[in-house]
Amino acid sequence: MATVTRTLQGTLRTGGRFMSTGGAPARRTALYDLHKQHGARFGPFAGWDMPLVYSDQGALDSHLHTRKHASIFDVSHMLQTRVVGADRHRFLEHLVVGDLKELPEGGSTLSLFTNEQGGIEDDTIITQQKDSLYVVSNAGCADKDYAHLQKYARIFQDQGADVEVRKIEDHSLIALQGPSAQAALELLAGASLAQMPFMTGQVLEISGVPCHVARSGYTGEDGFELSIPTSEVVGITARLLENPEVKLAGLGARDSLRLEAGLCLYGSDIDSTTTPMEANLVWTIGKRRRAEGGFIGADVILDQVAKKGGVRRRVGLIVEGAPARAHAKVLSAEGEEVGEITSGVPSPSLGKNVAMAYVRKGFNKRGTELKVKVRNRVQNATVVKMPFVPANYHKI
């Protein structure tokens, strides 16, 4: 475990996947001062100054605490939008692959923004509300996604469609994740959440404040994402932290948790050149959408799906020796280069090195023995099923 701790902390020191601000002043969330009070160490991510670790526990401890208890992640840097109007489903279904018309009220779905070449422009969670679609997008793609939504909204409006995209700027977003999340949130909700299914969302009063609460997250654990009026987010977060089961956690733990859960990080494991077929994300394309198409890049994507095309596949690897980081080359047993690592960490839960990679078709079968080149050393690796750690999502 000491090796895991040193390696995770080394990822933070060297920047890991965290994105610089490009010289622009970093933005701060409404919880910045609360993070400082809890001894947060900050780093740049997508133009924001975000907490990486806290003085009371490092990335390893935060990771394990989330798996055993519950942690709060500040995700207020993510883009929240609401799409309204009678033509909102037709509009958004042109931009993403999901079946939004058939999504029940309160239902959420993971979907993909796509481009004309069939690549993935971003992944997003969309929730069907009574009179709108609530969309949460990645912080690193926030400006791009909002411009994309506005561009096509204008096109649809020019054609007479009733649709409008509204950025939600008066609400912050936190994620409460872990086995103790439900019990902790119930104390503030004053009601049982046992009958709230995974991947659903609804407006609930949390400490008397109306908040949009979604049962979802990015850790593989049960949990909730709370969209809270920014004026109330510090108070609600502080009240959640009064529970001894709940601690703050930063981006260091979030990255290792999501990788153990087999979840993609946009810009690392998927990008504008990756197709849903290559990324093993075909399941996000609704059955009706596969038959009807109609989304950007549908011709390319559906042709790949029908022919099981594409030259590569996303896989999970267990890597012996040192951890394999992004861009490490993946080799066949005979030494031929067949792919590349996109994400890799020492797994705190498993005590093994785990990684995602894209490998040439034919080398993606579970159990395939491969090799990975790590700092000029060649190490053994095996293709395994993801998630690496079984999901603990709430079931009714």
Side-chain angles (χ1 to χ4, degrees), residues 328-354:
K329 301 304 179 185
V330 180
L331 314 175
S332 70
E334 294 72 34
E336 178 189 8
E337 186 176 318
V338 296
E340 185 174 286
I341 300 290
T342 56
S343 291
V345 296
S347 164
S349 302
L350 300 177
K352 301 176 181 179
N353 298 319
V354 299

Side-chain angles (χ1 to χ4, degrees), residues 243-274:
N243 189 322
E245 290 282 299
V246 180
K247 289 181 177 290
L248 289 167
L251 293 183
R254 194 165 185 253
D255 192 52
S256 55
L257 286 160
R258 69 92 192 166
L259 186 48
E260 285 187 347
L263 301 173
C264 295
L265 174 65
Y266 192 85
S268 292
D269 310 303
I270 50 176
D271 59 27
S272 60
T273 70
T274 314

Side-chain angles (χ1 to χ4, degrees), residues 182-250:
Q182 177 180 308
L185 191 57
E186 284 175 339
L187 291 175
L188 274 64
S192 172
L193 300 173
Q195 295 305 307
M196 184 178 183
F198 178 64
M199 290 301 283
T200 63
Q202 58 185 284
V203 175
L204 297 172
E205 284 202 357
I206 306 299
S207 290
V209 179
C211 303
H212 184 268
V213 179
R215 194 158 206 158
S216 60
Y218 194 49
T219 63
E221 294 294 332
D222 184 26
F224 305 86
E225 293 190 344
L226 288 77
S227 182
I228 304 170
T230 296
S231 60
E232 303 287 347
V233 69
V234 173
I236 288 175
T237 302
R239 283 190 283 278
L240 284 168
L241 289 170
E242 292 173 1
N243 189 322
E245 290 282 299
V246 180
K247 289 181 177 290
L248 289 167

Side-chain angles (χ1 to χ4, degrees), residues 259-262 280 314-318 350 354-356 364-368 382-391:
L259 186 48
E260 285 187 347
N280 286 320
R314 180 172 64 95
V315 298
L317 297 175
I318 296 291
L350 300 177
V354 299
M356 278 191 209
N364 57 304
K365 185 178 179 181
R366 200 180 310 169
T368 300
T382 305
V383 176
V384 298
K385 181 183 179 180
M386 291 189 287
F388 299 101
V389 174

